[in-house]
Amino acid sequence: MRQRHSFHLDRAGHSVTVNVRSGWITETEVLVDGKEVAFHRVHGHGVYPLTLAAQLPEEPPLPLAVELKRTGDPQRPLACALDVHGAVHPMAERTGQ
């Protein structure tokens, strides 16, 4: 059975979303303002911690990283954080999907 997790945060005037679909294959995508900017695919239920790098569409582009970690909590098995310029911001998990 596939599990889905979605995390979201508005930061620096941009919308950042991280979607994780896990099962036989785990796919993780990072969206900035609705456009895919990073993608990771692995067989199995994923290897964590996982860090994906991307950029915010600024002039010059602003690097960012998202990090996913296992929490050990069966209700919320993953946690996600956004790192922009060394400032780490926890990303809230969206529910009801």
Side-chain angles (χ1 to χ4, degrees):
M1 178 181 208
R2 287 180 69 87
Q3 291 185 325
R4 294 176 183 259
H5 302 276
S6 184
F7 302 89
H8 182 80
L9 184 67
D10 291 321
R11 182 61 59 203
H14 297 282
S15 169
V16 180
T17 303
V18 178
N19 294 315
V20 180
R21 292 176 298 277
S22 65
W24 287 102
I25 295 173
T26 297
E27 297 175 327
T28 305
E29 67 179 353
V30 179
L31 305 169
V32 173
D33 299 333
K35 296 181 182 179
E36 186 178 286
V37 295
F39 183 82
H40 181 263
R41 174 186 255 182
V42 65
H43 289 277
H45 291 285
V47 178
Y48 299 97
L50 172 66
T51 301
L52 295 173
Q55 295 179 339
L56 291 175
E58 302 278 324
E59 280 301 325
L62 182 61
L64 67 87
V66 293
E67 183 176 22
L68 289 150
K69 297 180 184 178
R70 290 203 189 277
T71 64
D73 179 355
Q75 297 298 324
R76 300 246 186 243
L78 292 178
C80 187
L82 172 68
D83 182 337
V84 179
H85 274 309
V88 178
H89 309 279
M91 296 181 72
E93 185 166 8
R94 291 178 166 181
T95 58
Q97 292 193 9

